[in-house]
Amino acid sequence: MPTAALDLKDAILQLKKERNAVILAHNYQTGDIQDLADYVGDSLGLAYRAQEADADVIAFCGVHFMAETAKIVNPTKTVVLPDKDAGCSLEESCPGPELEAFLKEHAEKNYYVIAYINCSAHVKALSDVICTSGNAVRIVEKAPADRPILFVPDANLGAWVMEQTGRKMDLWQGSCYVHVEFTRDSINAIKKDHPDALVVAHPECTQAVRLLADEVCSTEKMIAFCQNAPVKDIIVVTESGMLHRLRKEAPDKNLIAGPTDRCACADCRFMKMNTLEKLHDCLEKLEPEVTLPEEMRQAAEKPLLRMLEQSR
Ligand code: 13P
Ligand code: SF4
């Protein structure tokens, strides 16, 4: 490893100590960031870790809505995000003012609004409860039976939850630009070369792809699925960062990600905006800092706490 990279890692660890910081990283971050983090996980695990954090600073290596969630559930901490532009296409697909107008227009429906955590604080504040891919089935099962559900913003995750629970929901038509790029044909082509392989896919994939999968689950659940799978070959249908952790934690498995080592798909350009250099700089300068108006934070905290309680 070049000395410069080693120096940078040492400098980050030194700053982490000086700032009394904790580094949280999502499973889609680059391997070098994951290896430096105190905790690596999915959106649900990260929300719990952020809530429990007793460090002064949370350096959140993920995308903006995840860092914002950390600030909402642990408001006295300084939350920094290496790149302030690390957004999410799902968040973009459901602007708060649009949802607000929709709910006003359909006020007679008295919707129970379930928001996938991949959304802004404004959307969370308009919701009754939040869910992640790891607990969506459970959260929908606990929804009041006498109210119609509006599920925002991911139509694919929503459709998968409907299939799992049998509960009808109205779906906001948002999507993850990474996961909708996977096609049946590309996965079938990989399967041709690996006929015994099992397929694990994220629920943000389209139904056509999910139907090919042996398991559909959150990024965290993919770890146990791969570790316990009775076969060696597993086709992993999600963002490429997942492979780093899977290869570390399921080393005896052949994790197949397509011919380009990118799951036959592109990286999430938002997740990949964070780098070791930017992590170093945000710990040094304590910016970009994630902040939000207190009134909005409190309104967004309620449905998040409901989710955390319902998932324990
Ligand atoms: P997980 O919560 O399953 O890690 O998913 C987060 C995400 O952004 C998937 O694209
Ligand atoms: Fe958002 Fe998709 Fe990137 Fe996840 S992979 S952060 S859902 S754009």
Side-chain angles (χ1 to χ4, degrees), residues 26-28 41-44 65-66 88 116 118 132-134 176 179 202 204 217-220 271:
H26 185 263
N27 286 321
Y28 294 164
D42 67 356
S43 307
L44 184 60
F65 77 81
M66 295 177 175
C88 169
Y116 184 32
N118 297 37
T132 72
S133 59
C176 161
H179 286 87
H202 197 275
E204 289 171 9
C217 62
S218 75
T219 59
E220 195 60 31
M271 285 283 181

Side-chain angles (χ1 to χ4, degrees), residues 47-88:
Y48 278 120
R49 283 302 169 121
Q51 188 187 34
E52 290 158 8
D54 59 6
D56 296 324
V57 174
I58 299 174
F60 205 109
C61 299
V63 290
H64 186 269
F65 77 81
M66 295 177 175
E68 192 172 58
T69 298
K71 184 69 183 176
I72 293 167
V73 297
N74 205 340
T76 62
K77 308 302 176 192
T78 299
V79 178
V80 288
L81 176 69
D83 191 313
K84 69 172 175 32
D85 295 325
C88 169

Side-chain angles (χ1 to χ4, degrees), residues 128-159:
D128 292 286
V129 68
I130 309 301
C131 72
T132 72
S133 59
N135 63 16
V137 168
R138 191 176 175 147
I139 297 291
V140 169
E141 279 171 350
K142 287 180 188 255
D146 57 351
R147 284 177 67 187
I149 297 177
L150 175 67
F151 189 91
V152 303
D154 190 358
N156 286 304
L157 176 70

Side-chain angles (χ1 to χ4, degrees), residues 105-124:
E105 199 186 325
H106 300 279
E108 80 293 346
K109 291 244 187 192
N110 189 24
Y111 274 123
Y112 185 76
V113 182
I114 303 184
Y116 184 32
I117 199 164
N118 297 37
C119 65
S120 65
H122 189 174
V123 167
K124 288 183 176 77

